Amino acid sequence: MSNQEIVVDKKIIRKEVFDVLLVVLGCIVMAFGDALFIAPCGIISGGVSSIGIIVNYWVEGLTGFKCTDIVVAISQVSLWLVGLIVVGKKFSLHTLVAMIVYPLVFALIYRFDLGSLVGLDDIYESAIAGGPQGVGSLLLCSVVGGILCGAGVALAYRGNGSTGGFNIVSFIIARYSEIKEGTSSLVIDSSLIILGAFVRLGDKNNFVLTVIGILCAVCCAIAIQIMYVNASAFVICDIISEKHEEIKDYVINRMEHSATEFDTIGAYTGETRKLVRVVINEVETTELKQFIASVDPRAFVSFTKAKTINGEGFEPFYIRRKKKKIRRLIDESEKKGK
């Protein structure tokens, strides 16, 4: 094995380890949001924690036994098995970490009553009791819990994984239909919130809890938008500069992106110049602008936001099953025509 291949292998290993650590961190942050703020207040906002809260509402009322963490663990494992059967081993290995870490951390926080240890008892009691003070406590828990859950999901996405649960269902729906993951996730979470409202129909706090659940889901979505969607947006940067070699070297060696060079001719001057095209993350645009300004303030630079970038180093191409089947039928008809 050559030195170059060893270096490449080390980079791949470091990237894989970093991705796994991000997924683990995301699951831990999400578990804290659910187990510390959302579950103790009975806030149904979507996800497997909502299934646990709904089931626990009946079981604890009948037997006095709290089972939210048990239902969460069963739901996580069951949905992971569905992903294993429907999607295959590759996807399931990516979510295996979430299937283990999230319910484990959730159960530890839930069973050891970490909320009481950090002094959240008064907030829990007022939230359950209701009234103006209770609404304030519910608002606090829904906002903080929603932000933590959204941050956890975003971290897992940044690690090229997920927090498991109903994200697996959304992925399966997106793979075998034209329905996007965001749309199916919204439908699933909305259905759980409505189901929770029906289950607690006789509860005096039912309406307030339903509205609070919607607010929590919105906070979660905003956190994901800020931490993942906006941070993962791509920008196509076209640079015309006399210092194109320095800029290209900076992009490749310091920013660790590739670049493409074009020969261009100025329409007014007729001069031949080099155009360097770079695809970077939106959050990196400021860094690149500052470097270009430091080496060539007269450079001509344009930034264009890309809807999606597919290929090596970016998002892989996904071919839906329907399209594969259509392609096969076309190939078969072409062979028959020959």
Side-chain angles (χ1 to χ4, degrees):
M1 184 180 288
S2 66
N3 291 334
Q4 186 176 1
E5 287 175 335
I6 293 172
V7 171
V8 171
D9 287 344
K10 286 182 178 179
K11 284 185 176 180
I12 292 171
I13 292 170
R14 283 200 298 267
K15 179 68 168 61
E16 288 293 329
V17 171
F18 183 71
D19 285 348
V20 170
L21 290 175
L22 278 179
V23 173
V24 170
L25 180 60
C27 290
I28 292 172
V29 171
M30 185 176 175
F32 267 83
D34 278 332
L36 268 185
F37 298 98
I38 294 175
C41 297
I43 299 171
I44 297 173
S45 59
V48 293
S49 64
S50 293
I51 296 292
I53 293 168
I54 291 170
V55 174
N56 184 75
Y57 180 82
W58 287 105
V59 173
E60 188 177 4
L62 293 171
T63 65
F65 177 73
K66 293 183 178 181
C67 65
T68 304
D69 57 332
I70 297 172
V71 176
V72 165
I74 293 171
S75 300
Q76 279 282 85
V77 174
S78 301
L79 290 168
W80 181 80
L81 289 173
V82 169
L84 177 64
I85 295 168
V86 177
V87 182
K89 293 180 181 178
K90 187 175 181 180
F91 176 80
S92 298
L93 288 173
H94 289 168
T95 57
L96 178 62
V97 174
M99 188 269 287
I100 297 171
V101 175
Y102 171 74
L104 178 62
V105 177
F106 184 97
L108 289 172
I109 297 170
Y110 188 78
R111 289 294 165 184
F112 285 98
D113 200 8
L114 187 60
S116 298
L117 295 176
V118 297
L120 295 176
D121 273 342
D122 292 339
I123 293 175
Y124 297 156
E125 290 173 5
S126 63
I128 294 169
Q133 187 176 354
V135 172
S137 297
L138 284 171
L139 281 171
L140 175 65
C141 289
S142 68
V143 172
V144 176
I147 291 173
L148 285 175
C149 288
V153 172
L155 286 169
Y157 283 168
R158 293 298 296 270
N160 295 311
S162 78
T163 51
F166 286 109
N167 286 335
I168 296 172
V169 178
S170 297
F171 180 85
I172 292 170
I173 292 172
R175 182 169 183 176
Y176 297 107
S177 73
E178 298 299 323
I179 301 173
K180 294 182 178 179
E181 291 181 51
T183 303
S184 60
S185 179
L186 176 63
V187 171
I188 292 169
D189 290 345
S190 301
S191 300
L192 288 171
I193 292 172
I194 294 169
L195 177 61
F198 275 106
V199 167
R200 298 185 295 205
L201 206 55
D203 196 321
K204 64 178 182 179
N205 291 331
N206 187 25
F207 178 76
V208 173
L209 284 169
T210 302
V211 174
I212 290 292
I214 295 170
L215 174 64
C216 184
V218 170
C219 290
C220 179
I222 291 172
I224 295 171
Q225 179 72 31
I226 293 172
M227 292 186 63
Y228 176 71
V229 178
N230 290 350
S232 300
F234 298 111
V235 171
I236 300 171
C237 178
D238 288 335
I239 309 158
I240 298 176
S241 168
E242 293 179 356
K243 304 286 185 178
H244 60 90
E245 287 293 340
E246 292 180 38
I247 294 170
K248 184 178 65 174
D249 181 69
Y250 182 84
V251 168
I252 294 171
N253 296 317
R254 294 292 297 275
M255 299 184 72
E256 296 186 348
H257 287 290
S258 187
T260 305
E261 279 190 327
F262 300 93
D263 289 321
T264 60
I265 300 174
Y268 180 74
T269 62
E271 294 180 359
T272 300
R273 291 190 176 186
K274 291 286 186 181
L275 182 147
V276 179
R277 174 167 292 174
V278 185
V279 178
I280 57 176
N281 292 311
E282 189 172 10
V283 293
E284 296 175 304
T285 54
T286 301
E287 178 188 350
L288 184 57
K289 281 181 182 179
Q290 289 175 347
F291 177 76
I292 294 172
S294 67
V295 297
D296 186 7
R298 295 175 60 84
F300 179 83
V301 186
S302 66
F303 294 91
T304 307
K305 187 176 289 188
K307 185 176 181 180
T308 181
I309 299 291
N310 298 98
E312 186 178 353
F314 296 94
E315 294 181 14
F317 287 99
Y318 292 106
I319 302 174
R320 302 190 192 281
R321 178 171 287 186
K322 288 181 179 178
K323 292 182 179 179
K324 285 183 178 178
K325 186 177 180 181
I326 292 170
R327 182 70 260 173
R328 180 169 55 79
L329 291 172
I330 292 171
D331 292 339
E332 287 177 359
S333 64
E334 288 178 349
K335 287 179 181 179
K336 290 178 182 179
K338 291 179 180 178

mmCIF file of all heavy atoms in Angstrom, residues 122-144:
data_model
loop_
_atom_site.group_PDB
_atom_site.id
_atom_site.type_symbol
_atom_site.label_atom_id
_atom_site.label_comp_id
_atom_site.label_asym_id
_atom_site.label_seq_id
_atom_site.Cartn_x
_atom_site.Cartn_y
_atom_site.Cartn_z
ATOM 1 N N ASP A 122 -40.173 21.711 40.890
ATOM 2 C CA ASP A 122 -41.197 22.765 40.962
ATOM 3 C C ASP A 122 -41.818 23.033 39.595
ATOM 4 O O ASP A 122 -43.027 23.274 39.475
ATOM 5 C CB ASP A 122 -40.593 24.064 41.515
ATOM 6 C CG ASP A 122 -40.211 23.936 42.985
ATOM 7 O OD1 ASP A 122 -40.759 23.028 43.651
ATOM 8 O OD2 ASP A 122 -39.365 24.721 43.447
ATOM 9 N N ILE A 123 -40.977 22.986 38.562
ATOM 10 C CA ILE A 123 -41.480 23.214 37.203
ATOM 11 C C ILE A 123 -42.411 22.079 36.787
ATOM 12 O O ILE A 123 -43.475 22.319 36.222
ATOM 13 C CB ILE A 123 -40.293 23.348 36.217
ATOM 14 C CG1 ILE A 123 -39.503 24.617 36.513
ATOM 15 C CG2 ILE A 123 -40.784 23.348 34.769
ATOM 16 C CD1 ILE A 123 -38.265 24.781 35.676
ATOM 17 N N TYR A 124 -42.012 20.836 37.093
ATOM 18 C CA TYR A 124 -42.859 19.684 36.762
ATOM 19 C C TYR A 124 -44.210 19.774 37.473
ATOM 20 O O TYR A 124 -45.274 19.559 36.870
ATOM 21 C CB TYR A 124 -42.168 18.377 37.153
ATOM 22 C CG TYR A 124 -40.888 18.080 36.421
ATOM 23 C CD1 TYR A 124 -39.921 17.244 36.982
ATOM 24 C CD2 TYR A 124 -40.611 18.623 35.170
ATOM 25 C CE1 TYR A 124 -38.746 16.948 36.324
ATOM 26 C CE2 TYR A 124 -39.434 18.349 34.508
ATOM 27 C CZ TYR A 124 -38.498 17.510 35.087
ATOM 28 O OH TYR A 124 -37.325 17.227 34.432
ATOM 29 N N GLU A 125 -44.179 20.080 38.769
ATOM 30 C CA GLU A 125 -45.410 20.122 39.567
ATOM 31 C C GLU A 125 -46.360 21.208 39.077
ATOM 32 O O GLU A 125 -47.570 20.989 38.959
ATOM 33 C CB GLU A 125 -45.063 20.353 41.043
ATOM 34 C CG GLU A 125 -44.393 19.155 41.709
ATOM 35 C CD GLU A 125 -43.913 19.472 43.109
ATOM 36 O OE1 GLU A 125 -44.196 20.591 43.588
ATOM 37 O OE2 GLU A 125 -43.252 18.608 43.715
ATOM 38 N N SER A 126 -45.829 22.398 38.785
ATOM 39 C CA SER A 126 -46.688 23.479 38.302
ATOM 40 C C SER A 126 -47.220 23.186 36.906
ATOM 41 O O SER A 126 -48.357 23.538 36.575
ATOM 42 C CB SER A 126 -45.926 24.813 38.303
ATOM 43 O OG SER A 126 -44.821 24.754 37.405
ATOM 44 N N ALA A 127 -46.411 22.502 36.077
ATOM 45 C CA ALA A 127 -46.855 22.155 34.723
ATOM 46 C C ALA A 127 -48.018 21.172 34.769
ATOM 47 O O ALA A 127 -48.975 21.287 33.998
ATOM 48 C CB ALA A 127 -45.697 21.568 33.932
ATOM 49 N N ILE A 128 -47.944 20.213 35.677
ATOM 50 C CA ILE A 128 -49.008 19.212 35.795
ATOM 51 C C ILE A 128 -50.251 19.811 36.447
ATOM 52 O O ILE A 128 -51.383 19.502 36.071
ATOM 53 C CB ILE A 128 -48.502 18.004 36.617
ATOM 54 C CG1 ILE A 128 -47.381 17.287 35.842
ATOM 55 C CG2 ILE A 128 -49.637 17.015 36.900
ATOM 56 C CD1 ILE A 128 -46.639 16.246 36.650
ATOM 57 N N ALA A 129 -50.055 20.711 37.434
ATOM 58 C CA ALA A 129 -51.182 21.317 38.153
ATOM 59 C C ALA A 129 -52.025 22.227 37.263
ATOM 60 O O ALA A 129 -53.229 22.355 37.451
ATOM 61 C CB ALA A 129 -50.656 22.095 39.359
ATOM 62 N N GLY A 130 -51.401 22.858 36.290
ATOM 63 C CA GLY A 130 -52.124 23.769 35.395
ATOM 64 C C GLY A 130 -52.157 25.182 35.941
ATOM 65 O O GLY A 130 -51.381 25.536 36.840
ATOM 66 N N GLY A 131 -53.058 25.996 35.416
ATOM 67 C CA GLY A 131 -53.145 27.391 35.829
ATOM 68 C C GLY A 131 -52.117 28.246 35.114
ATOM 69 O O GLY A 131 -51.282 27.738 34.347
ATOM 70 N N PRO A 132 -52.130 29.563 35.354
ATOM 71 C CA PRO A 132 -51.193 30.481 34.679
ATOM 72 C C PRO A 132 -49.730 30.109 34.895
ATOM 73 O O PRO A 132 -48.936 30.135 33.968
ATOM 74 C CB PRO A 132 -51.507 31.834 35.324
ATOM 75 C CG PRO A 132 -52.913 31.707 35.817
ATOM 76 C CD PRO A 132 -53.065 30.279 36.238
ATOM 77 N N GLN A 133 -49.371 29.750 36.140
ATOM 78 C CA GLN A 133 -47.993 29.371 36.412
ATOM 79 C C GLN A 133 -47.633 28.076 35.687
ATOM 80 O O GLN A 133 -46.511 27.907 35.188
ATOM 81 C CB GLN A 133 -47.775 29.207 37.917
ATOM 82 C CG GLN A 133 -46.304 28.985 38.288
ATOM 83 C CD GLN A 133 -46.093 28.912 39.785
ATOM 84 O OE1 GLN A 133 -47.023 29.132 40.560
ATOM 85 N NE2 GLN A 133 -44.868 28.604 40.200
ATOM 86 N N GLY A 134 -48.611 27.163 35.617
ATOM 87 C CA GLY A 134 -48.382 25.901 34.921
ATOM 88 C C GLY A 134 -48.159 26.097 33.438
ATOM 89 O O GLY A 134 -47.310 25.428 32.828
ATOM 90 N N VAL A 135 -48.897 27.039 32.848
ATOM 91 C CA VAL A 135 -48.715 27.335 31.427
ATOM 92 C C VAL A 135 -47.314 27.881 31.171
ATOM 93 O O VAL A 135 -46.657 27.526 30.187
ATOM 94 C CB VAL A 135 -49.783 28.338 30.926
ATOM 95 C CG1 VAL A 135 -49.472 28.785 29.500
ATOM 96 C CG2 VAL A 135 -51.168 27.713 30.995
ATOM 97 N N GLY A 136 -46.854 28.727 32.077
ATOM 98 C CA GLY A 136 -45.500 29.266 31.948
ATOM 99 C C GLY A 136 -44.448 28.174 32.006
ATOM 100 O O GLY A 136 -43.483 28.174 31.238
ATOM 101 N N SER A 137 -44.646 27.218 32.921
ATOM 102 C CA SER A 137 -43.703 26.101 33.040
ATOM 103 C C SER A 137 -43.728 25.230 31.792
ATOM 104 O O SER A 137 -42.683 24.780 31.306
ATOM 105 C CB SER A 137 -44.051 25.253 34.271
ATOM 106 O OG SER A 137 -43.926 26.009 35.458
ATOM 107 N N LEU A 138 -44.927 24.988 31.262
ATOM 108 C CA LEU A 138 -45.057 24.193 30.037
ATOM 109 C C LEU A 138 -44.377 24.893 28.860
ATOM 110 O O LEU A 138 -43.715 24.247 28.043
ATOM 111 C CB LEU A 138 -46.531 23.949 29.721
ATOM 112 C CG LEU A 138 -47.247 22.892 30.572
ATOM 113 C CD1 LEU A 138 -48.746 22.922 30.298
ATOM 114 C CD2 LEU A 138 -46.691 21.503 30.282
ATOM 115 N N LEU A 139 -44.548 26.206 28.773
ATOM 116 C CA LEU A 139 -43.907 26.975 27.697
ATOM 117 C C LEU A 139 -42.390 26.850 27.785
ATOM 118 O O LEU A 139 -41.715 26.639 26.775
ATOM 119 C CB LEU A 139 -44.317 28.446 27.783
ATOM 120 C CG LEU A 139 -45.687 28.811 27.224
ATOM 121 C CD1 LEU A 139 -46.040 30.255 27.580
ATOM 122 C CD2 LEU A 139 -45.719 28.631 25.713
ATOM 123 N N LEU A 140 -41.870 26.992 29.008
ATOM 124 C CA LEU A 140 -40.422 26.887 29.206
ATOM 125 C C LEU A 140 -39.903 25.519 28.768
ATOM 126 O O LEU A 140 -38.924 25.416 28.022
ATOM 127 C CB LEU A 140 -40.090 27.135 30.677
ATOM 128 C CG LEU A 140 -38.621 26.937 31.082
ATOM 129 C CD1 LEU A 140 -37.739 27.963 30.390
ATOM 130 C CD2 LEU A 140 -38.471 27.029 32.599
ATOM 131 N N CYS A 141 -40.586 24.462 29.226
ATOM 132 C CA CYS A 141 -40.148 23.100 28.902
ATOM 133 C C CYS A 141 -40.288 22.801 27.409
ATOM 134 O O CYS A 141 -39.436 22.115 26.832
ATOM 135 C CB CYS A 141 -40.945 22.090 29.715
ATOM 136 S SG CYS A 141 -40.533 22.083 31.477
ATOM 137 N N SER A 142 -41.355 23.301 26.798
ATOM 138 C CA SER A 142 -41.574 23.027 25.371
ATOM 139 C C SER A 142 -40.514 23.706 24.508
ATOM 140 O O SER A 142 -40.004 23.105 23.557
ATOM 141 C CB SER A 142 -42.969 23.476 24.938
ATOM 142 O OG SER A 142 -43.087 24.885 24.980
ATOM 143 N N VAL A 143 -40.170 24.938 24.845
ATOM 144 C CA VAL A 143 -39.167 25.675 24.059
ATOM 145 C C VAL A 143 -37.787 25.060 24.232
ATOM 146 O O VAL A 143 -37.087 24.757 23.254
ATOM 147 C CB VAL A 143 -39.157 27.171 24.452
ATOM 148 C CG1 VAL A 143 -37.977 27.885 23.788
ATOM 149 C CG2 VAL A 143 -40.457 27.844 24.054
ATOM 150 N N VAL A 144 -37.379 24.848 25.503
ATOM 151 C CA VAL A 144 -36.053 24.290 25.767
ATOM 152 C C VAL A 144 -35.958 22.857 25.229
ATOM 153 O O VAL A 144 -34.983 22.483 24.564
ATOM 154 C CB VAL A 144 -35.737 24.316 27.275
ATOM 155 C CG1 VAL A 144 -34.391 23.642 27.552
ATOM 156 C CG2 VAL A 144 -35.716 25.742 27.790
#
